[in-house]
Amino acid sequence: MSRKEDFLAHIEKGYATKGDCITMGAGMVDNETVTGAYIKVPLKTLNRHGLIAGATGTGKTKTLQVIAENLSDKGIPVLLMDLKGDLSGIAQPSPGHPKIEERHEKIGFPFEAQGFPVEILSLSEQDGVRLRATVSEFGPVLLSRILDLTVTQEGIVAVVFKYCDDNKLPLLDLKDFKKVLQYATGEGKKEFQSQYGRISTSSTGTILRKIIELEQQGAALFFGEKSFEVDDLVRIDENGRGYINIIRLTDIQDRPKLFSTFMLSLLAEIYGTFPEQGDSDRPELILFIDEAHLIFKEASKALLDQIESIVKLIRSKGIGLYFVTQNPTDVPDDVLAQLGLKVQHALRAFTAKDRKAIKLTAENYPDSEFYDTKEVLTSLGIGEALISALDEKGRPTPLAATLLRAPMSRMDVLTPSELEKAIGKSKLVAKYNEDIDRESAYEVLNEKIEKAQKEAEKEKEQKSSPRKTSPRSRSTRMNPVVKVLTSATFIRGVLGVLKKVIR
């Protein structure tokens, strides 16, 4: 048996699947593609999370696009984080190219061009369906972790939420939360102290500064109504294909705090909303987090712990998370250990640090009799990758250098008119893009403070104005002689004497 035949048998055995699956491409050995050596990933294991890594320009985004398309085709909705702005082309079919045909001929199946149903979402003022959440939905624990607060400060945040619950004050946006904090150490100090204990002004000042820092990254646009319902991420179109939801994030690349805040809140909401699914045959929703290092870049230890917990638990809800980044070392080890599918594009060894990273990356993959992993990592071409997945029983598949299939949709952005048309067809724009500012904690407390101030001013005026006295009260302050001379008894006596004299 030749080496190619041996490799083909090795791949067919390791990637055999009875259930539905996604075909990533064909395996390669000795720098040649083995036609028909299909690298398949069962739908059953796609909720075990994954990693797409590699140097700039090696094809990570196209791999993401291929997986998203195939999931949509299988009726599985997808959520994509589009930080570079190059994923909207999924809505339009590929124009095709001779090199694409040549690639698919090597893989062993024909190329088919098609567009997919998309929903354009936005965290900022960009066009698209607005994504928002209220402060109440975050809750005190998550909000404290995002703000990286101390234990004492977390306690104050918990008290603020308790006060708002007890007094039926809606916490919708950040101005509501700031108002309650200010009230707790200002006009409402006595009220808070009698019911919840003393609150330090220095602690509330620190919390306010951290909220302002979050606002400076654009969080004011994210907090508010109407809250986005995560059930709208799992829609299926009339042809049975899952919607590919694309969040446009091109204008928040330099605001990692906002990005990580949004991601954590979204994952928490999905985890809290979706029912337990157990070990099902297909995922409910797959999320791709492009430029994943932005989530972990400025995350506090508490925030990282929260992300790691959600990654470990959310797969039971049928949710798969896929991190897309340049180097696997961008992802914390505890998260990396949870990732079942790894698609590793080429890495570049320009420095000693790069070579060390390649060595560490190679150790993340199973040994193979067909490859020197460290060598392959630096010699892969564009659109080629090392793949390690899980089979239907959850066992790691053989490591395979793979010639990846081409995206069926356009590998480019939509034109402004195409984008406008895609957003215009959306059923969610009318549902979420109306700005709502109903009465909440900010307005209620302002009214309460204004009323208290008016009453205080009225009381002050009453104390400072001169008293109006009655005629009776004035008589009591008369000279005693005058009082006697003007008394009724004295007058009657005088009149009596006069009457006698006259007679």
Side-chain angles (χ1 to χ4, degrees), residues 284-490:
E284 187 76 12
L285 174 69
I286 298 292
L287 287 78
F288 290 89
I289 305 169
D290 200 3
E291 303 295 334
H293 65 278
L294 291 177
I295 290 184
F296 307 109
K297 186 178 180 181
E298 294 185 13
S300 64
K301 179 66 168 64
L303 193 58
L304 284 175
D305 290 343
Q306 186 78 10
I307 294 171
E308 288 164 12
S309 296
I310 289 177
V311 169
K312 290 174 183 176
L313 298 171
I314 204 168
R315 75 172 187 83
S316 66
K317 306 280 187 169
I319 310 300
L321 301 176
Y322 286 74
F323 299 95
V324 185
T325 189
Q326 290 195 17
N327 200 302
T329 56
D330 295 333
V331 180
D333 289 343
D334 287 344
V335 174
L336 201 60
Q338 302 295 318
L339 310 182
L341 173 63
K342 294 185 176 74
V343 182
Q344 180 64 61
H345 289 265
L347 292 174
R348 306 301 181 213
F350 297 121
T351 66
K353 186 179 179 180
D354 292 339
R355 288 190 289 275
K356 186 178 179 181
I358 288 169
K359 184 179 178 182
L360 290 171
T361 301
E363 291 172 358
N364 287 322
Y365 293 93
D367 292 332
S368 172
E369 60 184 286
F370 294 98
Y371 310 111
D372 178 341
T373 308
K374 292 193 294 293
E375 183 182 330
V376 173
L377 280 173
T378 58
S379 61
L380 290 166
I382 296 172
E384 299 174 358
L386 280 174
I387 292 180
S388 175
L390 297 175
D391 67 15
E392 288 171 315
K393 294 184 179 180
R395 301 170 301 196
T397 58
L399 185 64
T402 307
L403 180 68
L404 297 162
R405 62 189 294 178
M408 294 178 273
S409 57
R410 185 195 296 173
M411 292 186 276
D412 200 357
V413 299
L414 294 178
T415 64
S417 61
E418 288 172 335
L419 185 63
E420 185 180 350
K421 186 177 179 182
I423 294 171
K425 290 193 299 184
S426 171
K427 296 178 181 178
L428 300 183
V429 168
K431 182 177 180 180
Y432 292 111
N433 283 30
E434 180 186 358
D435 287 321
I436 300 172
D437 190 14
R438 64 185 172 95
E439 187 177 72
S440 55
Y442 180 83
E443 288 79 15
V444 172
L445 288 179
N446 269 341
E447 188 177 330
K448 189 175 182 178
I449 291 167
E450 189 178 337
K451 186 177 179 182
Q453 287 173 342
K454 284 181 179 178
E455 288 177 357
E457 287 174 8
K458 187 177 179 182
E459 188 177 335
K460 187 177 178 181
E461 284 174 5
Q462 287 176 345
K463 286 181 179 179
S464 62
S465 62
R467 289 185 179 181
K468 292 181 179 179
T469 55
S470 64
R472 184 179 182 86
S473 64
R474 279 199 304 270
S475 68
T476 60
R477 292 195 295 272
M478 286 181 183
N479 187 296
V481 176
V482 176
K483 187 177 179 181
V484 170
L485 291 175
T486 57
S487 68
T489 305
F490 178 80

Side-chain angles (χ1 to χ4, degrees), residues 144 148-158 202-203 206-207 210:
S144 296
D148 193 19
L149 303 181
T150 64
V151 174
T152 301
Q153 292 159 358
E154 284 181 14
I156 292 173
V157 172
S202 61
S203 293
T206 302
I207 297 169
K210 294 198 173 186

Side-chain angles (χ1 to χ4, degrees), residues 31 113 125 129 146 159 178 199 207 235-236 330 341 366 425 442 483:
N31 293 321
E125 293 178 333
V129 178
I146 286 164
V159 166
K178 289 193 296 182
I199 292 177
I207 297 169
R235 295 183 304 136
I236 307 297
D330 295 333
L341 173 63
K425 290 193 299 184
Y442 180 83
K483 187 177 179 181

Side-chain angles (χ1 to χ4, degrees), residues 164-221:
C164 291
D165 286 342
D166 292 346
N167 292 274
K168 295 180 173 54
L169 297 177
L171 279 174
L172 303 182
D173 49 31
L174 291 177
K175 78 174 187 294
D176 289 330
F177 188 74
K178 289 193 296 182
K179 191 66 185 180
V180 182
L181 272 178
Q182 292 162 347
Y183 182 75
T185 52
E187 294 85 348
K189 185 176 181 179
K190 288 183 181 178
E191 181 185 353
F192 265 81
Q193 194 164 328
S194 64
Q195 296 182 41
Y196 308 102
R198 184 175 173 276
I199 292 177
S200 164
T201 52
S202 61
S203 293
T204 56
T206 302
I207 297 169
L208 281 168
R209 285 193 295 273
K210 294 198 173 186
I211 292 171
I212 290 168
E213 178 190 342
L214 196 61
E215 285 179 321
Q216 287 174 336
Q217 292 206 18
L221 287 169

